Structures are given as C-alpha cells and as structure tokens.
Amino acid sequence: MSVSRRSCIAAMSAAALERLLLAQPPAASPDASFSTDVRVVNIFATVRDKKGQIVKALTQNDFELDEEGQPQTIRYFSAESDLPLTLGLLVDTSGSTRSALGDEREASYRFIEQVLREDKDQAFVIHFDSEVELLQDLTNSRTKLDKALDQLHAAQPHMQRRDGGGGNRGGGYPDDSRGSQRGRRGGTSLYDAVLLASDELLVKQKGRKALVLLSDGVDSGSKTTLADATRAAQRADTLVYTLLFSEPEQYGYPGGFGGPGRRRGGYGGGGYPPRGGAGRPDGKRIMEQIAQETGGRFFQASKKDQFEKVFAAIEEDLRNQYNIGYTPAHSDSGGGYRRIHLSTTKKDLRVQAREGYYPN
C-alpha cells in the first residue's frame, strides 16, 4: 500500500472516530449541569423504616419525585454517595449552654476523627454567643480542627473579643458590620451564625454539604431572622443537623436523646420563631424547624453518652445517602423557592431530604 493511500485511510478513520465520539451522550455528573443552560437539581436523601433503621438497598425505581406538584424524571441515581463532604460545626457558647459544653467538645473530637476523610473532605468550626467567630476556616486537617475545638469556652458576662489563633479572621467573623457591632451587648446570635456560615463558606462549595448546629435554640442577639437564616442554608444546598442541648428544666421540656424532626408542613415556612411559655422563643421547635426545612435532622441531648449517640447517628446519615438528580421539567426560570417532594413506592419507609431549592 502506498504512503499516500495509508495516509488517506488514517485520516478517514480519525474522522469516523471523531464523529462517533461526538455522537455519544455525555456522562451524568452528580454535581454539575447536563448542559451549560440546564441545571440538574441534586437531592441527598436518607431512608428509614418504621423502626428508624436506615434502608440501604433501594434502586432508582423505588423513588418518586415531584416539583411544585409536577412529576419529575430522575436522571441520575447513586445508591451511595462518595462525593466530597464540606462540614461545618456551629457551637453555641453563650452562658445558657455552659454545663453541656465540655461533653459536647469531647464528642466533637471523635466525630471529626470518624467523619473527616483528609484526602476528600473539609470542615470548619464557628462558635457564637454575642458575636459569631470563625475559630477555624475550611481545612482537611484534623489537628487544626481539634485546636479550634480546644478554644470553645462558654461566654462570661461582658466577655471581650478574642483575637488571633485557630485560623480566625481577626477575632470577628466575617469582616462585616453585622458581627462587629455587637461586642458587649450580650445575647446569642444563632441565626447570624447559620446565615454567615451558609453565605460566606458553604454556598461556594460543591458536593455534599452539612452544618451541625449545637445550641439551646434560643436566639437573643442576631441581626438577621430565622427565615433569612433558613433561606441562606437552602440557597447553599446545605443540610442542617440540629442538636439541642441545655439544662432540661431551662425551657420547660425534658432532656434526652431525640430523633427526626417534624414532617412536611413545619411551622409556617420559617417565619416568626415559634413561642413557648410566657412568650419566650421555643428553642426546641426552632431547632426542629431549621432541620426539617433544610432536609437535616433534629436531636436532643444532655449527657456525654447521648452526645456520642447523636454524633454516631449523624455520621451514619452522612455515610448512607442516596444521591438523586433531575432536570426540572418546567420552563419557569424565576428565582423563587421551588418545593419538591421525594418519596418511595415502598410502604412504611420515610425519606429524609430537603423540601425545596432556589434556582441559580
């Protein structure tokens, strides 16, 4: 065969191969769009039976999904997600949580050690009382996170701001007037902590994202509202696991290990904070609401062994998530909140997942 004929055949083969490759559909990606102008909505879901045990063996055909009441076609499904995890610990260090803080810190050490994969995952630590302070920025170092946890101490009356150490941003977080003007006013800035963690750290991250919020649930110092804090977590596609800890008699409800929050419906979509006796904020219902509206889970604890059980349950959740993706079957490109409902076709199974999203 002549050189010119071989060259011609090679060129034709290359052209045929190129046409074949171009004809192949792109592989589904769990955290990206199928095209440049169509967004894939991802849902990370945990499924439990009526005894509360995690169900691991479901398939794509076992799920049903709708958005704003319209059935949706699941285009991506993975029984176990190995995507990177971005995790935030938000710890209430106001005076009302002083008695539980030591036990919570010890459980947090073990939680970070068990959950964080240093080759894939990253985490940060924030504490809040009258201010919101980033003790450790995003890192995959367990050593740095442990040092941040070492700094957790309950606020004292007229507590001064700390500066330096642990990777913080000059003592206050972030460089924003919402945090810097509260100095000695007192109170608990729970909503500010959720909003700032979501807007400043999590919204930029890809893959799985979760906040673990440890508090008595009573906010008395935030500039933002419960609705805005919840909305920020929803926009960041972040699950919020809430852990209520305080003295059992403090707000008139018993202590103890808790479970999933309320089902669909909540408390009016994150409006005014629920109220308890004498008109005071109901910390338990507030923590339930944040978890339920973001697809997380609510827990309650008051003792060391209960903290360990809670963190073990959260770890189990994060390790057993179904990753479900779909392209919304509607032409509405507005930016308003879109409600979704994920369920299974099998009887007596309960799906834990977020209830909606905000289009980009």
Side-chain angles (χ1 to χ4, degrees):
M1 185 182 295
S2 66
V3 173
S4 60
R5 185 179 180 188
R6 286 198 301 269
S7 299
C8 181
I9 291 174
M12 292 173 62
S13 299
L17 178 61
E18 181 178 3
R19 288 194 299 271
L20 179 63
L21 291 174
L22 290 175
Q24 298 297 318
S29 170
D31 58 357
S33 299
F34 286 99
S35 68
T36 57
D37 58 351
V38 178
R39 182 191 177 191
V40 173
V41 179
N42 284 104
I43 306 171
F44 294 100
T46 305
V47 181
R48 288 184 175 78
D49 61 23
K50 60 183 179 181
K51 296 181 179 179
Q53 301 299 311
I54 285 186
V55 179
K56 302 179 182 180
L58 299 179
T59 67
Q60 178 174 331
N61 293 331
D62 293 321
F63 288 91
E64 293 180 339
L65 175 67
D66 71 68
E67 177 179 310
E68 295 293 334
Q70 300 181 24
Q72 304 293 318
T73 300
I74 296 174
R75 298 186 60 183
Y76 177 88
F77 180 86
S78 176
E80 289 188 35
S81 175
D82 195 41
L83 290 174
L85 171 67
T86 302
L87 179 71
L89 285 177
L90 306 185
V91 184
D92 185 343
T93 52
S94 62
S96 60
T97 63
R98 184 179 296 110
S99 62
L101 196 55
D103 289 341
E104 177 276 322
R105 185 193 297 111
E106 292 300 317
S108 296
Y109 291 134
R110 285 184 284 279
F111 178 64
I112 290 294
E113 182 179 357
Q114 293 293 324
V115 172
L116 191 74
R117 301 168 298 178
E118 292 187 298
D119 60 331
K120 288 188 177 183
D121 305 329
Q122 55 184 346
F124 61 91
V125 179
I126 287 175
H127 89 98
F128 59 94
D129 37 58
S130 61
E131 292 185 333
V132 180
E133 183 178 7
L134 180 65
L135 296 176
Q136 174 58 55
D137 208 337
L138 283 166
T139 182
N140 61 1
S141 169
R142 294 192 187 109
T143 300
K144 290 182 178 179
L145 293 166
D146 285 350
K147 288 182 179 179
L149 294 173
D150 289 341
Q151 299 181 57
L152 294 175
H153 300 286
Q156 302 297 326
H158 308 295
M159 180 179 175
Q160 301 293 322
R161 287 179 62 173
R162 293 196 300 273
D163 292 310
N168 62 20
R169 299 176 181 175
Y173 170 69
D175 296 330
D176 185 301
S177 61
R178 287 176 292 184
S180 61
Q181 295 178 355
R182 291 194 302 272
R184 300 170 182 81
R185 183 164 54 89
T188 305
S189 302
L190 187 158
Y191 308 151
D192 284 354
V194 173
L195 183 143
L196 294 173
S198 301
D199 279 357
E200 300 294 330
L201 291 171
L202 290 169
V203 74
K204 306 169 187 176
Q205 305 302 312
K206 300 294 184 181
R208 298 181 300 148
K209 294 176 279 189
L211 287 175
V212 179
L213 172 63
L214 305 107
S215 176
D216 63 3
V218 178
D219 187 296
S220 57
S222 285
K223 295 286 188 179
T224 192
T225 64
L226 172 61
D228 287 340
T230 304
R231 189 176 299 118
Q234 291 169 334
R235 287 188 182 278
D237 294 340
T238 297
L239 306 177
V240 184
Y241 291 86
T242 58
L243 171 52
L244 183 76
F245 67 103
S246 64
E247 290 300 321
E249 68 278 5
Q250 187 169 350
Y251 298 109
Y253 46 77
F257 177 71
R262 293 177 180 262
R263 300 294 300 276
R264 292 169 62 83
Y267 303 100
Y272 292 105
R275 294 286 174 176
R280 67 170 63 91
D282 188 330
K284 180 179 180 181
R285 293 182 66 198
I286 289 169
M287 297 282 272
E288 286 179 330
Q289 179 172 325
I290 295 172
Q292 180 244 331
E293 294 186 2
T294 60
R297 193 177 173 195
F298 166 78
F299 299 90
Q300 190 170 328
S302 61
K303 299 178 182 179
K304 182 177 181 179
D305 61 335
Q306 293 171 345
F307 284 116
E308 293 177 353
K309 289 179 181 178
V310 167
F311 280 119
I314 295 174
E315 178 188 356
E316 186 181 33
D317 270 19
L318 295 174
R319 292 192 186 280
N320 294 282
Q321 291 178 315
Y322 293 95
N323 187 4
I324 296 168
Y326 73 100
T327 302
H330 57 77
S331 58
D332 182 9
S333 59
Y337 185 75
R338 304 201 62 84
R339 188 166 292 277
I340 56 181
H341 180 216
L342 180 68
S343 60
T344 74
T345 59
K346 294 183 177 294
K347 186 179 179 180
D348 295 328
L349 297 185
R350 187 178 64 83
V351 177
Q352 173 193 322
R354 59 178 171 145
E355 296 186 344
Y357 71 97
Y358 286 91
N360 288 339

